[in-house]
Amino acid sequence: MPLGTWLKAGTSATALVLAMAGAATAAPAPAPAGESPAAQAAAVTLRYDDSRAAGWEAAIAAGVASWNANVSNVHLVEAASGTVAEIVIVATTGWPQATLGPVRPGRQVRVELGSQAVDQGYDKTRIAAHELGHSLGLPDTKPGPCSQLMSGSSAGTACTNATPNATERSRVQSAYASGVAALAHTDGRMLIDAP
């Protein structure tokens, strides 16, 4: 076979392998109901580190799943060991609190999941989802009903809602609508969620 034919075959095979590899690594996560795959592909990915939040793992996973199921412009993923996370989650003995975002890739916010709220009867999953909401740029909406995730402790200890309502979802979608470039700068304020 002439050298030119070998080079064409090799170039075509290489292009095919590269195209297939790119497709495998660029596959977006499933979009929330009603969202287009194109909208999901533009999502900002934020990593979280919960390695210092012992006892909160299930609540954090449920809170992350709630946000990922309800917004498409931002996607939360657990940080791989040894990588820097945008959202650092720690367990504390005080009241839950978090840095107000929206956090951008390469920046960092802190979420403190305080056992004092759990000791008083508040739901761990609601706490985790609420504090993650602060990281995504949502302030408290106190006082407020249980249907508002960001009403936090003002909804009472019987409230276990960990799902953002339509307004909360819309605000996060808007904050991350144009990808990383349009995000507001994190102001660094810690919001303490004591009643």
Side-chain angles (χ1 to χ4, degrees):
M1 185 181 294
L3 180 60
T5 304
W6 278 104
L7 289 175
K8 284 183 186 175
T11 303
S12 297
T14 301
L16 178 62
V17 168
L18 290 174
M20 291 175 65
T25 59
E35 293 291 337
S36 71
Q40 183 64 24
V44 173
T45 298
L46 298 174
R47 295 161 298 186
Y48 67 91
D49 175 5
D50 64 354
S51 62
R52 296 186 294 158
W56 287 85
E57 296 87 353
I60 293 166
V64 165
S66 178
W67 279 108
N68 284 343
N70 284 285
V71 295
S72 61
N73 288 344
V74 63
H75 187 71
L76 305 174
V77 297
E78 189 167 3
S81 179
T83 62
V84 176
E86 285 83 14
I87 303 171
V88 176
I89 306 172
V90 298
T92 70
T93 57
W95 273 96
Q97 56 186 310
T99 310
L100 180 61
V103 65
R104 296 188 278 183
R107 303 278 180 156
Q108 195 170 75
V109 295
R110 181 177 171 96
V111 168
E112 297 181 8
L113 300 175
S115 62
Q116 192 170 358
V118 176
D119 293 345
Q120 291 195 16
Y122 292 96
D123 181 71
K124 284 178 111 173
T125 300
R126 178 172 168 84
I127 293 168
H130 174 91
E131 298 307 326
L132 287 168
H134 287 319
S135 296
L136 298 175
L138 297 177
D140 287 315
T141 55
K142 295 179 181 180
C146 183
S147 60
Q148 290 178 344
L149 175 60
M150 300 314 293
S151 67
S153 60
S154 71
T157 57
C159 179
T160 60
N161 173 40
T163 304
N165 68 18
T167 301
E168 294 162 335
R169 291 190 303 267
S170 177
R171 289 186 71 186
V172 170
Q173 287 289 97
S174 292
Y176 291 91
S178 299
V180 178
L183 293 179
H185 193 56
T186 303
D187 71 5
R189 284 187 299 146
M190 286 295 282
L191 301 178
I192 301 172
D193 289 304

